[in-house]
Amino acid sequence: MTMQNDAFLKCIDPRCGLEYPISSTNVKCEKGHMLDVKYSKKPSENLKEVIVNRGRMDGDVIFNESGVWKFRELLNFCQIDTFNVEECSKYLVSLDGAEGRQSKPYHMSKAAKFVGISSENFWLQPEGYNPSGSFKDNGMATAVTHAKLVNAKKIVCASTGNTSAAAGMFAANEGIDCDVYIPAGQIAPGKLSQAYQFGAQIIEVDGNFDDALKQSLDDAEKFGGYTVNSINPFRIEGQKTIPFRSLEYLKWEAPDWIVYPGGALGNTSSCGKALMELYEWGWIKKIPRIAVINAEGASTLSDLYNGEFEGEELRWNKGNPNSELINRYYSNLDAKSLRPHTKATAIQIGRPANIMKGLRALEFTNGVVTTVSDSEMLDGMAVVGLNGFDCEMASGATVVGIKKLISEEIIKKDDVVVGILTGRQKDAMIPVDYHRNHKNTFAIPPKN
Ligand code: F0G
C-alpha cells in the first residue's frame, strides 16, 4: 500500500494553519496550537447506505460490527482501502469489534419524566456499554491504531480512571506497553483495578488530574512514549463516532441538542468536529446545539464561557479567542490554591486541555455551558438506574444538566434531545450510599 496524502494534520488556529503528515506524533504545532486530522476528499453520501447495512449480520467482519470502524470511511487517516478486510485487519485496532458496538440512543421514560420532556423526544446513549466501560474505547481504538501506524512501543496517558482502563485494555490486546499517570487516591476503585488488571504500569501522582497530565506529557517527551490523552487528534477521530451513532440511529435527522458532561472537553471537541464535517459534507442539514455540563466544583469552562470570571464571555471568536483571559483564570486558581473538587472524580478537572477545540465546537453549534451540583448528579445517575441502565456519577451530569436547561427554558419542551451517558458505574459504594439515605430523591433504602 502506498501512503497517499488525502489525510494530514493541520493546526486549528486559522492564523497559523501549519500542516504535518499523518505520520507525525506531535499533539501540537510548532507554535503550541492544537491539531486536527483533516481529509481532502469528501465522503460520498452514498456511504450512508453502506454503513447502515454493516452490522451484526457481518459477524465475520469485525470492522463492520465495531461501532467505531463501521464509520471507517469518515475517519480514514490510515488511508486504506476500507473495503479490503485484510488491509483493515493489518491497520485498524479493534477489540474484536466490541468498541462502540452496544451503544446507541435509548428512550428512558423515568429519566424523561424527571427532566420534564416527552419520552419520544428524549434519548440517552449509554457509552458505558463499551468493553472497558466508558466512551473512551471509541477514541482509544483510533489512537492506538495511530500508535501502531507509527510503530510506538509504549502508550502513555494521565487519567481520572476511564482513559487508563481503555488504554490498558487496548495496549494489553495489542501487546504494547502502557504507562498511566493517576492522581493518587482520587480515582474510583473499579477504574484503578482495571488498570492493574490489564497490566498497565501505574504512576501515582501527588496532585490532581491536571498535575498528572503535566507529568505524563513531560515524561512522554523525556523518555519516549506515545500520548493517548484526548489532546491527541487521533483520539478525537474515534470519538466522532459517538454522535455518528446517535445520528445514524436517528436516520441522520439531527436532534436539537446533544448533551455531554464536560471534563477535559475531548467529547465536546469531537462532537463539534463530527458535526462540522457532516454539515460540510452535506450529511446533515441542521446543526444540533451542544450543551456541556460542568460539575459546580470543576467549572472552568462554565466560568469562562458565561463571563463569571472578569465579566468577559470567552468565545472561539472565529479562531481568535482571548487566551490571556484563560491564562489569568489559571493564574488566579494557582494564586488562591483553588483545586477542582467534586465527588464525580471523572470530571474533577481544572484545566480542560481541549478548551480551544471545545470553544470552537460551541461556536459552531451555538452551544451552551452550565453547571450542576454533586447531589444533582447523583439524582441523575440514580434515575438512569431506575430505567434498567447503568451509569456513573459524572454521566448523571448529562441528565440533570438537561433538566436544568429545560427549567431555564434554554432547552424547549418540544426539542429533541440526545444525552450521552459517558461511563458505567465503577464506584460500587456510590449507589449503595445513595440508596441508604432516605432523603435522596430516588432512594430505595434497605429494609431489615
Ligand atoms: N465522563 C466520564 C465518565 C469520564 O471519564 C470523563 C473523562 C468525562 C465524562 C469527561 O470527558 O474529558 O471528554 O470532557 N475522563 C477522563 C479520564 C479525563 O481520564 O478518564 P471529556
Side-chain angles (χ1 to χ4, degrees):
M1 192 197 67
T2 50
M3 257 304 181
Q4 300 145 4
N5 292 317
D6 294 338
F8 55 97
L9 290 167
K10 189 175 167 101
C11 168
I12 67 164
D13 186 328
R15 295 161 302 173
C16 174
L18 285 166
E19 292 183 7
Y20 299 89
I22 222 68
S23 56
S24 166
T25 55
N26 299 343
V27 291
K28 295 206 165 152
C29 84
E30 276 131 78
K31 297 191 184 148
H33 311 132
M34 306 202 76
L35 298 172
D36 266 338
V37 180
K38 299 289 268 185
Y39 304 97
S40 45
K41 285 193 185 142
K42 176 173 157 177
S44 127
E45 238 195 297
N46 299 339
L47 278 169
K48 276 184 180 171
E49 196 67 24
V50 174
I51 290 169
V52 94
N53 290 323
R54 287 174 174 159
R56 284 156 205 248
M57 301 302 286
D58 295 313
D60 55 333
V61 180
I62 61 167
F63 308 103
N64 291 349
E65 260 187 78
S66 162
V68 172
W69 295 119
K70 69 185 288 198
F71 298 102
R72 53 195 176 272
E73 287 78 12
L74 312 189
L75 36 136
N76 189 14
F77 57 83
C78 292
Q79 302 171 85
I80 56 174
D81 173 356
T82 52
F83 291 92
N84 180 332
V85 179
E86 226 168 282
E87 220 167 87
C88 289
S89 306
K90 187 168 164 209
Y91 286 91
L92 309 181
V93 167
S94 174
L95 203 90
D96 206 31
E99 58 286 334
R101 186 172 56 197
Q102 307 275 28
S103 91
K104 65 177 180 72
Y106 289 87
H107 285 308
M108 295 192 197
S109 57
K110 287 177 185 152
K113 189 166 171 232
F114 174 60
V115 304
I117 197 169
S118 93
S119 189
E120 69 192 37
N121 287 344
F122 180 58
W123 307 86
L124 290 171
Q125 183 166 320
E127 289 295 322
Y129 293 175
N130 267 287
S132 84
S134 84
F135 75 93
K136 304 286 180 178
D137 294 347
N138 294 287
M140 206 53 75
T142 46
V144 178
T145 292
H146 186 253
K148 267 183 62 181
L149 190 72
V150 299
N151 288 319
K153 299 285 173 281
K154 181 167 80 177
I155 61 170
V156 178
C157 68
S159 183
T160 57
N162 282 325
T163 300
S164 46
M169 181 186 75
F170 279 109
N173 206 245
E174 294 297 324
I176 50 181
D177 290 341
C178 177
D179 284 359
V180 305
Y181 292 69
I182 54 140
Q186 294 177 37
I187 81 171
K191 297 175 183 175
L192 184 61
S193 81
Q194 284 181 295
Y196 279 113
Q197 176 81 351
F198 295 134
Q201 176 61 59
I202 290 165
I203 295 107
E204 292 185 327
V205 177
D206 186 18
N208 60 18
F209 171 82
D210 305 314
D211 305 313
L213 181 60
K214 188 174 180 308
Q215 193 179 326
S216 81
L217 293 173
D218 289 351
D219 285 0
E221 198 171 310
K222 251 190 268 165
F223 307 120
Y226 179 97
T227 294
V228 293
N229 279 100
S230 53
I231 50 168
N232 177 330
F234 298 94
R235 267 280 303 276
I236 299 298
E237 289 310 288
Q239 285 178 209
K240 291 190 312 193
T241 66
I242 299 169
F244 286 170
R245 286 194 297 275
S246 326
L247 287 160
E248 187 198 19
Y249 192 80
L250 301 176
K251 305 201 163 33
W252 304 98
E253 290 279 330
D256 296 293
W257 294 90
I258 303 182
V259 186
Y260 289 96
L265 304 177
N267 259 331
T268 312
S269 305
S270 50
C271 185
K273 185 170 190 275
L275 297 175
M276 280 156 66
E277 290 174 344
L278 291 174
Y279 191 72
E280 188 190 316
W281 297 336
W283 284 43
I284 53 170
K285 308 285 176 253
K286 184 179 105 181
I287 304 167
R289 297 177 73 183
I290 296 178
V292 183
I293 319 298
N294 274 162
E296 267 175 11
S299 57
T300 299
L301 181 69
S302 175
D303 293 348
L304 287 167
Y305 195 74
N306 296 321
E308 277 149 33
F309 178 70
E310 294 186 3
E312 178 182 335
E313 294 181 349
L314 179 67
R315 290 293 182 274
W316 172 242
N317 196 15
K318 297 198 175 82
N320 196 9
N322 186 350
S323 48
E324 280 311 307
L325 186 72
I326 307 176
N327 293 340
R328 286 200 300 278
Y329 183 91
Y330 292 155
S331 305
N332 182 58
L333 292 185
D334 291 342
K336 296 189 178 148
S337 295
L338 295 171
R339 315 289 278 168
H341 188 72
T342 165
K343 202 172 149 89
T345 49
I347 52 172
Q348 184 168 264
I349 293 172
R351 295 172 194 246
N354 290 292
I355 191 161
M356 291 304 183
K357 286 185 181 176
L359 290 170
R360 183 179 65 172
L362 289 165
E363 180 157 291
F364 180 70
T365 66
N366 188 22
V368 301
V369 186
T370 193
T371 60
V372 292
S373 70
D374 280 11
S375 77
E376 289 175 305
M377 273 187 261
L378 286 168
D379 287 341
M381 176 200 82
V383 78
V384 167
L386 299 181
N387 291 272
F389 288 85
D390 181 33
C391 76
E392 70 167 83
M393 186 172 166
S395 310
T398 294
V399 182
V400 283
I402 293 169
K403 181 175 165 64
K404 182 173 175 187
L405 292 169
I406 289 174
S407 73
E408 289 172 348
E409 293 180 19
I410 294 168
I411 297 182
K412 304 282 183 274
K413 288 235 176 231
D414 54 357
D415 281 352
V416 175
V417 183
V418 176
I420 309 298
L421 301 175
T422 43
R424 77 167 179 242
Q425 186 59 260
K426 298 183 184 179
D427 205 336
M429 289 315 284
I430 288 187
V432 176
D433 293 340
Y434 178 88
H435 283 281
R436 278 186 177 157
N437 182 348
H438 67 91
K439 290 193 187 126
N440 286 324
T441 315
F442 297 106
I444 307 175
K447 285 186 184 164
N448 44 24

